[in-house]
Amino acid sequence: MTTKELRQKYLEFFEKKGHSIISSASLIPENDPTVLFTTAGMHPLVPYLMGEKHPEGKRVTSVQKCIRTGDIDEVGDNSHLTFFEMLGNWSLGDYFKKEAIEWSYEFLTSKDYLGIDPKKLAVTVFEGDEDAPLDTEAKQAWLDLGISEDKISALPKKDNWWGPAGQTGPCGPDSEMFYWVGEGEFPPEGSNVAIDEDNWMEIWNDVFMQYNKNIDGSFTASEQKNVDTGMGVERVVALLNGYKEVYKVDTLWPIVEVVENLSGKKYEEETLSMRVIVDHLRAATMIMGDNLGLAPSNVDQGYVVRKLIRRSIRHGKKLGIDTNFCGEVASKAIEVLGSEYTELEKNKDFVLREIKKEEEQFRKTLESGIKEFEKLLKGFQMAFEKTNRKITEISGKQAFKLYDTYGFPYEMTEELAHEHDLTVDKAGFDSAFEKHQELSRKGAEQKFKGGMADTGEMSVKYHTTTHLLHVALKRVLGDHVAQKGSNITADRLRFDFTHGEKMTPEERTEVETLVNAAIARDYPISFTEMTVEEAKAQGAIGLFGDKYGEKVKVYTVGDPAGMAEGNPESDTFSKEICGGPHVESTGVLGKFRIKKEESSSAGIRRVKGVLEDL
Ligand code: SER
């Protein structure tokens, strides 16, 4: 089975069960400052899991682009990927455990769909603890389907509980489905996930969101009960084709072949480096190929992209590739995923240009690293001439500087040292490295702290202000202004948009005045549901993506019957495609001020703005 067939079968199956197909959201979450990337299909659905009405109804299904960087050190094994596709179906306060489990089972085993022999399946359910009881409902649903008792393992929270994605929010017990990957065609009698974990591979997760985690760590039953399921596309395609690893799948293997050709080496001999290169460059390509125009940089998502590319180049060096090669690998990634994610073709020039720039720059850094290494050698030589004592070891600190400042992998320093009859203090390097990891982990934890969708009062205010700012910028600077990114915290808004030059002081004042006049008019805010085409016809702005024919929510500031003008004299100030939430009327916002206007990247400006008390 191909990836394309699996996606089609899944969506078709759930469409038959009354679900609307929705398109993949961006890899960069809009208006959610608590996470860098979309990590699961449920992520873009958070407002609807928390009770907002979804324009497509109570049952939706999708294939979602996902990035997970938490497991980055495990990349290189059989199944972990930085970028992956996730299939999912959701009940937004509609069906619950019984239907979800029955449909999962039907899709997996029916001859019309995956046709998996039930004898190769095992499942898990939540065993219960002080927060929630044993999930007897899920267990019974599996028993009713004919899964035998010994194939059902009840496991604790660390295995069978999902969410919240942040500190607070919807979460609940889950039930996971596993496929036999051990020796022999079928599992031996009595084998299940609890006692034989390594021989079973997880393929699907049904989460039953029936709790809310509160800020004090306690759980309360949620008003709306949801189902959130997630199936890893690459893993399932691998299993269905009898592959023992994901890299043989059709959205990865052609990329492996490009690396084989570039290096003249075989995958079987250089598995680890080739896997890292393929995984990392595919992920970097997907992030940069998203519609937001994200380039390598030293902050946030841009920093992740930079790390992915640099790590690939180092592994390329290990394979003996010393000329620019990342573009060729990225082109293949665009080719294999471009038919599903049409934005990739559109953004291809940008991706290839930025990859090339990064690669050239990093090769220069590596060169200066070699110079630094030579300086070290000279120092050793001089010390020898002075004291007649030979230094034979590069210290942990020196090796770490080569790693941290010049991007040298430890093995490279060791190799170079070896060529000069030197050793490296590995323990010293490890301890410097660990200290550094510790610090950056703390930084990352800080970032991931906070609720998953921050719906605090100030955030909602900044969200509405962002809509006002967006149309005001268009009115003052011109229609070429398009949103390239938005990020909101409780203290400020940040808005990236296309515009060629710095804003003049007059333009800044004019934008502030328009926004503040719209606030002073105390426009009501409301939303209507319509198709993307209708929204466009009414002059709505926003990230349309490729959601043709799909229903979306359009938020209007002012009279929903009019055309958006960005002019506070008119009755309709703004219309924008958006999931919400927003304040009820603009009068509550306070006074808007642009604090900073700067370049974000080529052709993209960034505004930071605050709301002050009137
Ligand atoms: N959110 C769950 C997961 O990521 C199910 O989709 O596994």
Side-chain angles (χ1 to χ4, degrees), residues 39-42 68 86-87 90 162 202 205-207 209 228-231:
T39 57
M42 56 76 71
R68 288 191 188 175
M86 191 188 268
L87 290 161
W90 288 271
W162 209 90
E202 186 201 334
N205 184 10
D206 287 0
V207 184
M209 299 191 149
D228 152 39
T229 93
M231 173 188 271

Side-chain angles (χ1 to χ4, degrees), residues 275-327:
R275 283 179 175 177
V276 171
I277 293 171
V278 169
D279 169 84
H280 283 20
L281 289 178
R282 191 174 87 129
T285 302
M286 292 307 291
I287 300 169
M288 289 191 289
D290 215 303
N291 280 328
L292 294 171
L294 225 127
S297 75
N298 277 334
V299 290
D300 297 341
Q301 291 95 344
Y303 185 61
V304 174
V305 175
R306 169 159 285 168
K307 269 200 349 207
L308 291 169
I309 298 175
R310 292 188 166 193
R311 220 163 158 217
S312 306
I313 296 170
R314 288 187 212 139
H315 279 274
K317 261 191 169 319
K318 283 196 188 167
L319 299 180
I321 312 177
D322 279 314
T323 50
N324 289 352
F325 72 99
C326 296

Side-chain angles (χ1 to χ4, degrees), residues 20-155:
S20 306
I21 300 173
I22 55 172
S23 25
S24 175
S26 167
L27 273 174
I28 321 294
E30 280 295 302
N31 300 321
D32 182 354
T34 64
V35 279
L36 292 178
F37 295 106
T38 301
T39 57
M42 56 76 71
H43 199 157
L45 294 169
V46 169
Y48 311 107
L49 294 167
M50 312 239 288
E52 292 240 357
K53 197 170 153 280
H54 194 290
E56 288 285 342
K58 289 183 171 179
R59 298 181 183 188
V60 294
T61 181
S62 75
V63 41
Q64 173 65 47
K65 308 186 269 186
C66 300
I67 289 273
R68 288 191 188 175
T69 53
D71 293 334
I72 206 143
D73 292 325
E74 297 194 42
V75 167
D77 71 2
N78 286 333
S79 62
H80 281 92
L81 292 168
T82 308
F83 168 81
F84 62 97
E85 299 177 77
M86 191 188 268
L87 290 161
N89 56 285
W90 288 271
S91 156
L92 305 166
D94 190 27
Y95 61 86
F96 206 42
K97 295 181 191 182
K98 186 171 148 57
E99 295 89 332
I101 288 175
E102 277 174 10
W103 292 338
S104 290
Y105 183 79
E106 183 183 342
F107 182 71
L108 291 174
T109 59
S110 156
K111 293 270 177 296
D112 293 333
Y113 294 94
L114 301 192
I116 293 175
D117 188 332
K119 290 204 279 295
K120 292 189 183 184
L121 292 174
V123 301
T124 60
V125 297
F126 178 56
E127 78 173 359
D129 61 13
E130 66 281 7
D131 297 318
L134 164 73
D135 197 345
T136 46
E137 203 181 331
K139 186 169 174 187
Q140 193 55 50
W142 287 118
L143 289 170
D144 290 347
L145 287 164
I147 298 280
S148 61
E149 178 115 34
D150 67 335
K151 286 278 171 295
I152 308 174
S153 311
L155 298 172

Side-chain angles (χ1 to χ4, degrees), residues 583-604:
V583 299
E584 270 174 34
S585 66
T586 56
V588 299
L589 296 176
K591 186 170 190 284
F592 176 67
R593 187 162 67 83
I594 295 180
K595 263 188 96 167
K596 207 168 183 183
E597 191 271 345
E598 60 193 340
S599 162
S600 161
S601 59
I604 297 176

